[in-house]
Amino acid sequence: MNDVLVIIPTYNEIENIKSIIEAVMKYPDNFDVLVIDDNSPDGTATAVENLMQSFPGRIHLEKRPGKQGLGTAYIHGFKWALNRDYGYIIEMDADFSHNPDDLTRLYHNCKDKGADVTIGSRYISGVNVVNWPMGRVLMSYFASAYVRFITRMKLRDATAGFVCYRRRVLEAINLDKIEFKGYAFQIEMKFKAHIKGFRIEELPIIFINRRLGTSKMNSSIFGEAVLGVLKLKFDSIFRKSKS
């Protein structure tokens, strides 16, 4: 078992899954991979099982009976990692929107430079998003500004899904109390780490919209984020007032 685990949730990622795992496997840091597959009808899980034979002990697969949301997939993966000896856990998309070359930067910013959470940020150095429609770029950018205003976290990309956590961060957060399943999940995890005083840093990345497969993003996910941020802030104030 290696020191760092990359968690990749999947649903119908047959076009990408073999290539993304092989890309992760090539780095000298020897990342392990855990795929959380929600019963993809396109054979994603079978493709992962075939790869497991080529990289024994480094690729792992958890199959769930159906689509249960991105947040629950990551919570499943976090608990799986905490039941083992991984010191660092990374969230990553399957579709190459997150460049595998940035994995080492996120990992070493935690391991060697002392960050507890390192975010691959699309907005820390301008707007580094490729092949998104302008409307979606603006929605994502202003969503992060909205999160910053409401929560007072000094993060440029609170909705980012490319994140490295130290083990102690996930141990400190009650994963059973994480409420949100979609877009707001990413905000909630960062906010929980923030209010517990962990050191959160952002590194610039270039986010490239998927070339293969179908995006899982929809308007309801953004709606959850807008209302979810208000709830997170209100709940944190209410807890303080009772303490």
Side-chain angles (χ1 to χ4, degrees):
M1 181 182 294
N2 295 308
D3 190 38
V4 56
L5 179 71
V6 179
I7 301 175
I8 305 177
T10 57
Y11 183 76
N12 285 349
E13 291 290 354
I14 192 63
E15 297 99 334
N16 297 301
I17 193 61
K18 182 175 184 293
S19 297
I20 194 72
I21 291 176
E22 288 178 340
V24 175
M25 290 292 103
K26 74 180 183 181
Y27 294 103
D29 288 304
N30 291 326
F31 301 107
D32 285 357
V33 169
L34 171 64
V35 175
I36 311 289
D37 186 70
D38 280 357
N39 197 26
S40 299
D42 68 351
T44 298
T46 300
V48 175
E49 288 170 337
N50 292 336
L51 276 175
M52 291 169 71
Q53 301 173 33
S54 300
F55 301 94
R58 294 188 59 198
I59 301 172
H60 310 276
L61 174 65
E62 290 284 288
K63 294 189 282 188
R64 306 198 301 173
K67 293 182 70 174
Q68 301 174 44
L70 179 70
T72 66
Y74 276 126
I75 294 298
H76 186 114
F78 293 159
K79 290 180 177 180
W80 189 96
L82 292 177
N83 283 329
R84 291 153 181 86
D85 293 330
Y86 294 103
Y88 304 86
I89 298 94
I90 300 178
E91 301 177 1
M92 184 182 187
D93 288 349
D95 60 8
F96 283 94
S97 55
H98 302 143
N99 187 339
D101 288 345
D102 291 320
L103 283 168
T104 56
R105 296 173 57 229
L106 269 62
Y107 171 46
H108 285 286
N109 196 62
C110 286
K111 183 178 182 180
D112 301 330
K113 298 184 180 180
D116 295 307
V117 181
T118 301
I119 300 167
S121 176
R122 298 162 291 185
Y123 306 127
I124 192 66
S125 60
V127 178
N128 293 317
V129 177
V130 178
N131 293 335
W132 259 7
M134 182 54 65
R136 185 169 173 185
V137 173
L138 292 173
M139 185 179 293
S140 175
Y141 182 82
F142 285 111
S144 286
Y146 167 76
V147 172
R148 202 161 54 249
F149 175 75
I150 297 295
T151 65
R152 301 305 183 191
M153 290 191 294
K154 295 179 180 180
L155 299 179
R156 305 300 298 185
D157 196 0
T159 63
F162 196 19
V163 187
C164 180
Y165 291 96
R166 281 184 181 268
R167 179 188 184 89
R168 65 191 181 204
V169 178
L170 299 181
E171 289 176 329
I173 295 172
N174 187 341
L175 298 175
D176 291 326
K177 295 292 185 181
I178 297 296
E179 297 184 44
F180 300 109
K181 297 181 179 180
Y183 204 57
F185 164 80
Q186 298 293 357
I187 304 167
E188 184 175 7
M189 285 295 299
K190 297 174 184 68
F191 187 65
K192 298 282 189 182
H194 166 73
I195 62 177
K196 288 182 178 295
F198 287 109
R199 177 176 161 187
I200 307 174
E201 297 184 357
E202 295 179 273
L203 296 181
I205 64 163
I206 297 175
F207 180 96
I208 301 175
N209 193 32
R210 66 162 64 236
R211 292 186 292 269
L212 298 172
T214 303
S215 174
K216 315 305 186 295
M217 187 65 67
N218 57 57
S219 58
S220 67
I221 292 174
F222 281 104
E224 180 195 54
V226 171
L227 297 176
V229 170
L230 291 172
K231 186 176 188 306
L232 288 172
K233 185 62 177 178
F234 176 80
D235 287 349
S236 71
I237 294 171
F238 183 71
R239 283 194 298 271
K240 285 182 181 178
S241 69
K242 293 184 69 176
S243 61

